[in-house]
Amino acid sequence: MAEPTAPVRLEGFGGLPERGLVSGEGLVRSLTFVPVDEAPRLTAVIEDERERPGSGPTLCLVWLGRRRISGVNAGTRLRFSGMLAHFHGVPTIYNPRYEILAQED
């Protein structure tokens, strides 16, 4: 039986691999909600906090079957992990594991 591999820890979102298991942290820049006549899906655009806000590279986290996640809003800091893929050229993780991080004062 194959040994499970640990996710690659992202140090920023520039130069992401094409695919593979990754983990990282970032700030939710925006959320996209879909109309009720579409299949439930919540998309969060995550940016690297170390970059100037709104100017750095981003990636998308997509939760299928969810319309909302309590506590996940624009400005929320998240730790995430999952299988990275590129959908229409956008780095995306579907149904990631996530942890909401405390806000710094």
Side-chain angles (χ1 to χ4, degrees):
M1 185 168 175
E3 290 291 320
T5 58
V8 173
R9 178 87 179 126
L10 300 177
E11 299 298 330
F13 299 159
L16 294 171
E18 269 304 302
R19 61 182 36 217
L21 193 57
V22 298
S23 68
E25 292 181 13
L27 190 70
V28 176
R29 178 191 294 175
S30 64
L31 294 170
T32 302
F33 303 96
V34 296
V36 293
D37 61 339
E38 290 186 26
R41 177 179 74 247
L42 176 64
T43 302
V45 175
I46 308 294
E47 68 182 0
D48 184 357
E49 293 178 276
R50 296 174 290 191
E51 299 287 332
R52 200 173 106 232
S55 66
T58 61
L59 61 84
C60 287
L61 303 180
V62 180
W63 289 273
L64 302 173
R66 305 284 299 264
R67 291 195 186 279
R68 290 195 176 281
I69 297 175
S70 183
V72 175
N73 302 300
T76 301
R77 292 180 61 232
L78 293 178
R79 180 175 296 136
F80 58 86
S81 66
M83 188 60 70
L84 178 72
H86 289 259
F87 183 70
H88 295 292
V90 178
T92 304
I93 299 173
Y94 288 93
N95 295 322
R97 290 178 176 244
Y98 68 96
E99 179 181 347
I100 298 172
L101 301 173
Q103 297 290 351
E104 294 178 7
D105 291 329

